[in-house]
Structure formats: structure tokens, C-alpha cells
């Protein structure tokens, strides 16, 4: 059909068409032919069911099967340095970030009250020591008198009552001496306790490490009667611990000693590797989600890891190096239901052909091919129709969920 023939046929139509100019008739005829051609092309495309397959090749590579979790970093060994004495925090000798050694003087509390108490205790001790000396002299005198009276009694020079009285006096003086010695022991004990309290006004480092925080400022008043006030924290930053929160569904896959690595937000390209030290048995509930804490220790010689950093943790369930791998999107479960058995569609002569394969390790993106496929095989990962509508999965099936 040409434009002139179409125009002449349309010219036989009554009404409006006859009233149109030849130029307008030519334009409308061309538009009609274009519409008809488009409809014919679309109809033929639909009839042939034109479908394009999305494919990928089986390649060699490394694969890891992991459990992921978020965690935070804390020093493995640290101590909150508190005060056992009450009073004004007179001076703090260190600042946050300073390195201290065990036994270094960290801070001092006003010792005035404790010094006066110790002075009073020492005076009490000296007084009791003087009383004991006096009582010892009295005992010595009464003993001499008693021996004399006992000799006189043998020759009937004194009455028996006088002799008995002198003997009783010796016993009384001995008891008084024993009482004073007991009071002296009590006074010495009180003195030792008050000297200990005085020594608590000077606070020394219980371990070597870095001062990581200071909660009490110089000049503040400390009161240890209710709770022991914390002044600062010292931590050994050479070894850090990751406290990773693992979901209830994944914690059963973990075990002590299994390999693990993690990255941080600030250094996503650097991996720190270690093993699981402990899995705490008591969970935490966060927004109605049960989470278990796994502890991972890691060396931090360069101090690149810092307190409270966020860590993306990967617990390594298995890994394989330089093995054939296939996209997970190409897999669908096999009818046999056997563990590791899947079916894929392999392109053979331009047509997809089903094939059973055996899969090993698997993550959310790729899977290890144990048998059934070789490097270079082209597998179908989905379809894309001529209209551009994409169908996910392989052969209409769903990719397995890990």
C-alpha cells in the first residue's frame, strides 16, 4: 500500500475527508500507516514470546560463610579508681590520656581531719603506756610487801588478815596492769585504722595503663559513706575486647575459639582477626529482640582501636579459596530435598537446560560449586521480557534464603 492509493481510497469516504486539503490528507494517511506498522511489529513480538535471559558465568574465587553482628570496643583490662576517704579532692596529678605506672600518685584528698585523728590516737597510746609503767611499779611494790608479810606470818609477827590483804593487793595490781595493756592494744588498733584512713587520702595507680576518663574534678567534695566515689579510670589499651551482639537465631552457630574478624567505621578496609573468647549465657533484650554477647580479644599495639568504637563483626563459619562459584540467584532447590542439592539452568546452544548441582559454602551473593558445574559455564540468573519486565530468580524459582 502506498500513500497515493491510500489517499484515493480515503477520498471515496463521504463527509469531512472530502473537505480536507490534499496536503492534510497526505499527512493523515502517513500517520495511519505508521500506527498500523507499529501494531503489526508489536503483535509479532508478542506472538514469538521474545524473552531475553539474564546470565552470568561460573567463575573461580574465594567464598566465606559468616554470621554478622554489630559490636563495640572496650579495653580488656581496666579499673575504676575510687576514693576510700571523704573530703575535698585537693589535687589531681594526672590528665586524661596520660600513661601511668602501677604505684604512681594520682590524686590527693585534704588530710586535715585524718591527721588530727591520728595525732589524738598517738597521744592516747602514749598515755596508756605511761599508765602501764606506773601500774607495773605499783605491782612491783605490792609484790615486795606481800612477800614480807608472808614471811612475818610464819613467825606470827602479823595477823593472817594482814597477810591475806597484801596477797589480794598483788592480784588487784596485776589485773589493773592487764586491763591497761588491753586498752593499749585497742588504742594501737584504732591508731592503725586511722593511719590507714590517712593513707587513703593519697590515691595511687593500682595498675599500669592510660587514664581514659575522669569523673571527679579537683575541688569537689567526696563522700564515701554511701558509695565509693570514682575519680578516674585507668585502662590497658594494648588489648581491646569487642562485645558483639549476636541475634538469637545465629548464636547457636557460634562456639568458643572460632575465627572471627571485624572492621570499624573509620577504617573499613582494615581487618582485625582474632577468635571468640567467650559467649555470655545471659542475653540482653533490645526493642523486644533477644541478643547474646560474644567477647573477642584483639591486640592493639598501635592503639588504632579506641574505646566505644563501633565494629562490624564477621564470625567465620567456613571459607574456601580459589573454588568455582555461582551466583545465588541462579539456584533453586532440587526436588530431592537433599542437603546441598540445587538445580540451575545452564545455557546450551542458546537455550536454557536444567542441571542438578551440589553446593557447598554459601553466602547471600555466591555459592561454592562442589559438582555439576565448571568454570566458564553460563547459568541463568533471571529473565527479562521484550517489554522490559524483569523476573527475579532462576526459572521462576526463588533464590535460597540463608
Amino acid at each position: 500500500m502506498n500513500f497515493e492509493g491510500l489517499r484515493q481510497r480515503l477520498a471515496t469516504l463521504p463527509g469531512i475527508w472530502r473537505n480536507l486539503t490534499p496536503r492534510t490528507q497526505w499527512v493523515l494517511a502517513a500517520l495511519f500507516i505508521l500506527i498500523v506498522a507499529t501494531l503489526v511489529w508489536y503483535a509479532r513480538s508478542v506472538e514469538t514470546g521474545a524473552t531475553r535471559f539474564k546470565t552470568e558465568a561460573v567463575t573461580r574465587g574465594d567464598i566465606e560463610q559468616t554470621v554478622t553482628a554489630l559490636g563495640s570496643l572496650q579495653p580488656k583490662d581496666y579499673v575504676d579508681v575510687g576514693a576510700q576517704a571523704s573530703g575535698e579532692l585537693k589535687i589531681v596529678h594526672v590528665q586524661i590520656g596520660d600513661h601511668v605506672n602501677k604505684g604512681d600518685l594520682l590524686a590527693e584528698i585534704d588530710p586535715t581531719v585524718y591527721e588530727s585523728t591520728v595525732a589524738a590516737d598517738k597521744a592516747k597510746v602514749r598515755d596508756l603506756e605511761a599508765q602501764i609503767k606506773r601500774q607495773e611499779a605499783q605491782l612491783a611494790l605490792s609484790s615486795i610487801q606481800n612477800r614480807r608479810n608472808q614471811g612475818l606470818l610464819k613467825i606470827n609477827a602479823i595477823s593472817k588478815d594482814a597477810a591475806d590483804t597484801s596477797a589480794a593487793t598483788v592480784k588487784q595490781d596485776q589485773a589493773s596492769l592487764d586491763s591497761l595493756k588491753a586498752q593499749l592494744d585497742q588504742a594501737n588498733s584504732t591508731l592503725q585504722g586511722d593511719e590507714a584512713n590517712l593513707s587513703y587520702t593519697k590515691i595511687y595507680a593500682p595498675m599500669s595503663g592510660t587514664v581514659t576518663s575522669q569523673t571527679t574534678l579537683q575541688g569537689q567534695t567526696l563522700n564515701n559513706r554511701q558509695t565509693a566515689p570514682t575519680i578516674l579510670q585507668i585502662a590497658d589499651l594494648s588489648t581491646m575486647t569487642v562485645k558483639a551482639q549476636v541475634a538469637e537465631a545465629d548464636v547457636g552457630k557460634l562456639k568458643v575459639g572460632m575465627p572471627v574478624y571485624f572492621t570499624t567505621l573509620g577504617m573499613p578496609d582494615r581487618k582485625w582477626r582474632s577468635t571468640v573468647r567467650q559467649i555470655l549465657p545471659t542475653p540482653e533484650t533490645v526493642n523486644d529482640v533477644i541478643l547474646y554477647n560474644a567477647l573477642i580479644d584483639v591486640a592493639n599495639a598501635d592503639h588504632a582501636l579506641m574505646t566505644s568504637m563501633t565494629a562490624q563483626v564477621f564470625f567465620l563459619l567456613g571459607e574456601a579459596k580459589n573454588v568455582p562459584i555461582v551466583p545465588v540467584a541462579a539456584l533453586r532447590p532440587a526436588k530431592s530435598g537433599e542437603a546441598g542439592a540445587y538445580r540451575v539452568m545452564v545455557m546450551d546452544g542458546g537455550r536454557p537446560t536444567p542441571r542438578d548441582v551440589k553446593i557447598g559454602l554459601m553466602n547471600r551473593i555466591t555459592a561454592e560449586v562442589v559438582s555439576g558445574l565448571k568454570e566458564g559455564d553460563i547459568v541463568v540468573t533471571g529473565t527479562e521480557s521484550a517489554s522490559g519486565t524483569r523476573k527475579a530468580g532462576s526459572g521462576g524459582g526463588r533464590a535460597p534464603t540463608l
Side-chain angles (χ1 to χ4, degrees), residues 30 32 34 56 98 134 167 220 249 269 276 279 283 310 339 359 391:
F32 179 78
L34 179 61
E56 288 190 36
D98 288 351
R134 183 177 60 187
Q220 286 186 256
D269 296 330
V276 176
I279 301 173
T310 300
I359 296 300
K391 299 178 182 179

Side-chain angles (χ1 to χ4, degrees), residues 102-125:
K102 183 177 181 180
D104 287 351
L105 181 62
L106 303 178
E108 296 182 53
I109 298 172
D110 185 4
T112 304
V113 174
Y114 298 96
E115 287 175 344
S116 64
T117 302
V118 170
D121 292 340
K122 289 180 177 179
K124 179 67 174 178
V125 168

Side-chain angles (χ1 to χ4, degrees), residues 209-223:
T210 303
V211 179
T212 56
S213 67
Q214 180 179 345
T215 55
T216 305
L217 301 178
Q218 185 170 305
Q220 286 186 256
T221 300
L222 305 175
N223 183 3

Side-chain angles (χ1 to χ4, degrees), residues 24-194:
T24 303
Q25 292 176 353
W26 276 101
V27 172
L28 291 176
L31 182 60
F32 179 78
I33 291 175
L34 179 61
I35 293 174
V36 171
T38 302
L39 292 175
V40 170
W41 173 84
Y42 180 78
R44 288 181 178 177
S45 297
V46 172
E47 289 175 358
T48 57
T51 301
R52 292 195 299 270
F53 292 100
K54 296 166 58 180
T55 61
E56 288 190 36
V58 176
T59 60
R60 281 193 170 271
D62 302 336
I63 185 172
E64 293 180 346
Q65 187 172 352
T66 61
V67 168
T68 60
L70 284 177
S72 62
L73 283 156
Q74 298 293 335
K76 180 183 178 183
D77 298 317
Y78 68 91
V79 61
D80 292 325
V81 181
Q84 293 181 265
S86 298
E88 178 187 350
L89 186 59
K90 192 173 182 180
I91 185 171
V92 178
H93 295 282
V94 295
Q95 296 180 348
I96 296 176
D98 288 351
H99 180 80
V100 297
N101 295 315
K102 183 177 181 180
D104 287 351
L105 181 62
L106 303 178
E108 296 182 53
I109 298 172
D110 185 4
T112 304
V113 174
Y114 298 96
E115 287 175 344
S116 64
T117 302
V118 170
D121 292 340
K122 289 180 177 179
K124 179 67 174 178
V125 168
R126 289 195 300 271
D127 177 58
L128 288 172
E129 289 174 343
Q131 291 184 51
I132 288 173
K133 289 180 179 180
R134 183 177 60 187
Q135 188 61 34
E136 288 175 340
Q138 181 62 37
L139 176 61
L141 176 61
S142 62
S143 298
I144 293 173
Q145 291 174 345
N146 181 53
R147 287 194 297 270
R148 183 184 302 117
N149 288 338
Q150 296 302 322
L152 293 174
L153 178 63
K154 291 180 180 180
I155 59 175
N156 295 322
I158 61 172
S159 66
K160 189 174 186 306
D161 288 341
D164 291 342
T165 300
S166 65
T169 301
V170 171
K171 293 181 179 179
Q172 290 175 353
D173 290 343
Q174 182 64 54
S176 297
L177 179 61
D178 292 341
S179 175
L180 289 173
K181 287 183 178 179
Q183 294 179 47
L184 178 61
D185 291 341
Q186 182 180 10
N188 279 323
S189 177
T190 301
L191 174 61
Q192 290 176 0
D194 290 336

Side-chain angles (χ1 to χ4, degrees), residues 196-274:
N197 289 333
L198 177 60
S199 68
Y200 294 152
T201 60
K202 291 186 177 181
I203 301 170
Y204 298 91
M207 63 175 288
S208 298
T210 303
V211 179
T212 56
S213 67
Q214 180 179 345
T215 55
T216 305
L217 301 178
Q218 185 170 305
Q220 286 186 256
T221 300
L222 305 175
N223 183 3
N224 72 338
R225 297 186 182 277
Q226 296 178 347
T227 57
T230 299
I231 297 177
L232 46 83
Q233 184 185 86
I234 298 176
D236 181 7
L237 300 181
S238 62
T239 302
M240 302 293 286
T241 296
V242 180
K243 184 178 181 181
Q245 294 187 314
V246 183
E248 179 183 4
D250 294 328
V251 71
K253 304 173 185 177
L254 309 186
K255 60 181 179 180
V256 174
M258 72 182 304
V260 61
Y261 66 88
F262 67 91
T263 60
T264 60
L265 293 178
M267 293 171 282
D269 296 330
R270 181 174 177 181
K271 292 182 180 180
W272 282 266
R273 296 186 178 272
S274 184

Side-chain angles (χ1 to χ4, degrees), residues 334-363:
K335 293 181 180 180
S336 64
E338 182 183 353
Y342 290 89
R343 173 165 290 189
V344 299
M345 303 297 289
V346 182
M347 297 301 292
D348 185 8
R351 298 179 61 85
T353 303
R355 186 183 299 178
D356 292 332
V357 297
K358 187 76 171 180
I359 296 300
L361 297 178
M362 182 186 302
N363 55 36

